[in-house]
């Protein structure tokens, strides 16, 4: 007789159902795991043997074969321990076979039979719900998995508790979802002295999910501004929170099963590798751009990142997803993030200060910012200059609106966009609008059209740049409470697009 249990194998954020088959047959004593297991799965047999021994269950002197089906799908991770143990117990008639066939199990076994938490409980619960099965997972993963209300989640602490539940000796209650993590009060925009234009640009970027490039001398406040961006972003919607949490679940970043409504804010160092930024490695894990899904990716010292890493951002920025292709894996991760980049104007950082600039001015600035390719630069909706703040200004009182007031305006603009784009799947903010949808929602008035045509002709805006100006103008109009895109909205959007267009606005 072949006993069966079920578990999952991960392909990106998708969890595929895997059937764990166990056959106990006469022959030389052995314990084999087949079905394309990795090292961690192959070692499961020793953990299972020790866990069963701790429960005073001895394996028979027979040939034990575990097959993980489909056999051509790579199996990775220690979460196969629990389903292998359950299938084996069912094959030994210790567990009822009909019970093990109704569950999806995942969990690592310690040598004393305790269940160790594993990553991926949330997507596993989604797969169990789609397959109309119950999820059995370690107690530490129960609160996380229970967020998928469509699947019943049983979370024992030990293998013995799982056996008692499945045999009806001690039935466990389904796990309850974890707490919604409270959004911590972020740093306030009013802490930044001066920089009113940069604050305005961040408000526009937050309202429409636009990409921003800040260029300024060292100490001008670029990092301070970026650190205050989470404080003006609206909380994640329930659907966005679930999407984001599934990625974080695969990366082991969920804290005690709680799901946060705060938007992710990732800030990788410029020494990060391509696999760390885009995703990859031996198991094709999600990278920083996917961990920033529905949130912010802040890249300080932007030109210092390796050129190859920067160029890989181009496609994800456009498509909102990244495909990590490896010889043994081909997975797709969502990565609809808001890119905020900061850079010095040159290597020494003082290109605009004659008293402190190096001898290579202006060539050093061209060489330094030239590390950012034209196609990548074209993908920034807003490019702002962050001038230095005089030390005499640091004693001035706080200025501008607080983060709370800015966040209220941003939330109102986002609500208008969500309502406007409700009939277009995949579009949630103005930055997502394209094609006929963009033409419908962002058609400028005559004055705006004339100004945009003049700027496009004089400065050679690409088609992408033209459309990005329209998106930013639509966001400015939303913040302004205007139904249509007017000439002043186009003018402000253009002023953030190209520094040189200040000339065009006065001609």
């Amino acid at each position: 007789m072949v006993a069966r249990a079920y578990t999952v194998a991960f392909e990106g954020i998708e969890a595929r159902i895997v059937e764990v088959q166990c056959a106990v047959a006469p022959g030389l004593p052995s314990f084999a795991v087949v079905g394309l297991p990795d090292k961690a799965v192959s070692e499961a047999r020793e953990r299972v043997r020790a866990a069963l021994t701790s429960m005073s269950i001895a394996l028979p002197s027979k040939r034990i074969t575990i097959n993980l089906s489909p056999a051509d799908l790579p199996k990775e991770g220690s979460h196969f321990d629990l389903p292998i143990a359950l299938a084996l117990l069912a094959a030994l008639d210790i567990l009822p076979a009909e019970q093990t066939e109704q569950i999806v199990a995942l969990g690592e076994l310690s040598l004393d039979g305790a269940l160790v938490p594993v990553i991926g409980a949330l997507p596993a619960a989604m797969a169990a719900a789609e397959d109309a099965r119950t999820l059995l997972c370690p107690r530490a993963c129960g609160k996380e998995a229970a967020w998928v209300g469509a699947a019943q989640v049983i979370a024992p602490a030990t293998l013995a508790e799982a056996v008692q539940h499945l045999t009806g000796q001690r039935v466990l209650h389904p796990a309850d979802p974890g707490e919604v993590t409270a959004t911590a009060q972020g740093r306030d925009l009013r802490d930044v002295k001066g920089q009113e234009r940069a604050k305005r640009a961040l408000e526009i970027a937050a309202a429409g999910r636009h990409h921003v490039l800040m260029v300024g001398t060292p100490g001008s406040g670029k990092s301070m501004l970026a650190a205050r961006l989470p404080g003006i972003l609206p909380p994640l919607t329930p659907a966005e929170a679930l999407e984001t949490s599934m990625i974080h679940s695969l990366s082991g970043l969920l804290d005690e099963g709680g799901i946060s409504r705060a938007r992710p804010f990732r800030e990788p160092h410029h020494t990060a590798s391509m696999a760390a930024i885009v995703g990859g490695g031996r198991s094709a894990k999600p990278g920083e751009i996917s961990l920033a899904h529905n949130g912010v990716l802040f890249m300080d010292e932007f030109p210092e990142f390796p050129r190859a890493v920067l160029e890989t951002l181009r496609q994800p920025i456009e498509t909102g997803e990244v495909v990590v292709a490896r010889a043994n894996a081909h997975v797709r991760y969502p990565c609809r993030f808001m890119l905020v980049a900061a850079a010095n104007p040159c290597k020494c950082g003082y290109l605009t200060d004659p008293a402190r600039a190096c001898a290579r001015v202006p060539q050093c600035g061209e060489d330094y910012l030239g590390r950012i390719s034209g196609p990548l630069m074209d993908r920034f909706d807003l490019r702002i200059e962050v001038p230095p703040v005089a030390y005499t200004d640091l004693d001035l009182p706080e200025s501008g609106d607080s983060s709370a007031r800015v966040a209220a305006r941003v939330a109102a603009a986002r609500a208008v966009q969500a309502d406007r784009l409700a009939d277009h799947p995949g579009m949630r903010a103005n930055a997502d609008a394209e094609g006929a949808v963009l033409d419908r929602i962002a058609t400028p008035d005559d004055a705006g059209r004339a100004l945009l045509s003049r700027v496009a002709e004089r400065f050679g805006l690409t088609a992408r740049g033209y459309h990005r100006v329209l998106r930013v103008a639509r966001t400015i109009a939303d913040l302004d409470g205007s139904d249509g895109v007017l000439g002043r909205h186009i003018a402000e959007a253009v002023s953030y697009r190209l520094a040189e267009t200040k000339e065009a606005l006065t001609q």
Side-chain angles (χ1 to χ4, degrees):
M1 183 187 89
V2 175
R4 292 174 174 83
Y6 293 88
T7 186
V8 294
F10 298 108
E11 287 188 332
I13 62 171
E14 180 185 358
R16 291 185 55 182
I17 295 293
V18 173
E19 184 179 282
V20 181
Q21 306 164 354
C22 179
V24 179
L28 292 175
S30 64
F31 193 158
V33 180
V34 298
L36 215 56
D38 73 344
K39 186 66 173 176
V41 181
S42 297
E43 292 173 346
R45 58 179 180 266
E46 302 303 331
R47 293 189 291 271
V48 169
R49 191 193 305 273
L52 294 181
T53 300
S54 71
M55 297 172 59
S56 301
I57 299 175
L59 295 181
S61 297
K62 295 184 178 181
R63 182 179 181 83
I64 301 173
T65 304
I66 301 291
N67 179 45
L68 308 176
S69 177
D72 60 344
L73 178 67
K75 318 298 189 308
E76 299 177 346
S78 59
H79 67 274
F80 284 87
D81 291 6
L82 180 58
I84 289 175
L86 296 180
L88 177 56
L89 291 172
L92 298 177
D93 292 327
I94 296 175
L95 289 179
E98 62 274 10
Q99 288 285 358
T100 60
E101 292 181 3
Q102 296 303 314
I103 62 173
V104 171
L106 78 163
E108 178 184 330
L109 285 171
S110 65
L111 299 184
D112 61 357
L115 289 176
V116 180
V118 292
I119 64 173
L122 192 57
M126 296 281 288
E130 293 174 359
D131 215 39
R133 300 180 191 275
T134 298
L135 181 72
L136 190 70
C137 64
R139 178 165 297 172
C141 299
K143 292 181 179 180
E144 171 188 335
W147 278 103
V148 182
Q152 186 183 58
V153 178
I154 304 298
T158 64
L159 178 59
E161 286 188 10
V163 171
Q164 291 170 356
H165 173 80
L166 294 174
T167 55
Q169 300 175 44
R170 183 186 171 193
V171 178
L172 300 174
H173 294 291
D176 295 321
E179 297 294 328
V180 176
T181 304
T183 303
Q185 184 64 34
R187 300 165 180 168
D188 203 298
L189 267 181
R190 299 190 72 187
D191 297 337
V192 182
K193 302 295 179 67
Q195 307 298 6
E196 300 304 322
R197 177 174 169 81
K199 293 178 185 178
R200 169 65 172 172
L202 285 187
E203 179 180 345
I204 296 170
R209 200 184 62 76
H210 302 291
H211 306 300
V212 186
L213 172 64
M214 297 184 287
V215 179
T217 57
S220 57
K222 303 184 294 296
S223 298
M224 283 187 68
L225 288 163
R228 282 148 181 78
L229 188 56
I232 65 174
L233 290 171
L236 293 167
T237 65
E240 289 174 336
L242 188 58
E243 285 178 5
T244 305
S245 297
M246 287 178 67
I247 302 173
H248 290 187
S249 175
L250 286 172
S251 301
L253 298 180
L254 292 189
D255 185 19
E256 297 181 358
I259 287 184
S260 175
R261 294 290 297 276
R263 294 187 180 271
F265 184 81
R266 307 292 300 185
E267 41 185 341
H269 193 261
H270 60 78
T271 58
S273 67
M274 185 182 300
I277 298 295
V278 180
R282 184 179 59 85
S283 302
K285 294 297 183 182
E288 291 290 337
I289 63 175
S290 296
L291 296 175
H293 180 57
N294 290 322
V296 178
L297 178 67
F298 175 50
M299 301 179 73
D300 201 4
E301 306 296 345
F302 195 60
E304 297 291 346
F305 281 82
R307 178 68 177 266
V309 171
L310 295 182
E311 293 306 302
T312 57
L313 296 175
R314 287 159 52 180
Q315 184 177 356
I317 286 174
E318 292 293 327
T319 63
E321 63 180 16
V322 60
V323 178
V324 181
R326 297 293 182 268
N328 62 341
H330 189 275
V331 297
R332 187 182 304 270
Y333 292 110
C335 58
R336 197 172 294 278
F337 58 91
M338 174 181 161
L339 176 60
V340 178
N344 294 324
C346 62
K347 188 69 174 177
C348 71
Y350 299 102
L351 180 71
T352 58
D353 187 349
R356 306 175 70 180
C358 66
R360 296 188 62 247
V361 170
Q363 188 61 41
C364 65
E366 296 176 3
D367 292 345
Y368 190 66
L369 292 181
R371 299 179 185 180
I372 308 173
S373 69
L376 180 57
M377 187 72 79
D378 201 35
R379 285 165 167 80
F380 284 103
D381 301 318
L382 299 98
R383 308 172 198 167
I384 56 175
E385 189 175 321
V386 184
V389 178
Y391 72 90
T392 53
D393 294 339
L394 299 180
D395 292 332
L396 296 176
E398 296 177 337
S399 63
D401 290 334
S402 66
S403 289
R405 295 190 63 179
V406 175
R409 294 197 295 266
V410 169
R414 285 280 186 114
V416 170
Q417 295 166 43
D419 183 63
R420 181 192 297 133
L421 300 172
D423 296 332
H424 304 281
M427 296 185 186
R428 299 174 182 172
N430 287 334
D432 303 323
E434 59 185 3
V437 176
L438 181 61
D439 293 339
R440 177 175 61 82
I441 69 173
T443 300
D445 63 3
D446 293 340
R449 191 189 304 275
L451 173 60
L452 188 54
S453 297
R454 187 165 70 250
V455 170
E457 181 178 354
R458 180 176 178 82
F459 296 99
L461 279 181
T462 64
R464 180 190 293 114
Y466 183 91
H467 289 142
R468 287 187 179 275
V469 169
L470 286 178
R471 294 184 184 118
V472 173
R474 178 66 266 179
T475 299
I476 295 172
D478 290 338
L479 289 170
D480 198 24
S482 173
D483 292 332
V485 177
L486 308 180
R488 66 176 183 271
H489 304 141
I490 293 290
E492 185 175 1
V494 165
S495 73
Y496 292 117
R497 180 70 186 176
L498 298 171
E500 308 94 283
T501 52
K502 294 176 183 178
E503 303 172 10
L505 296 177
T506 59
Q507 295 177 5

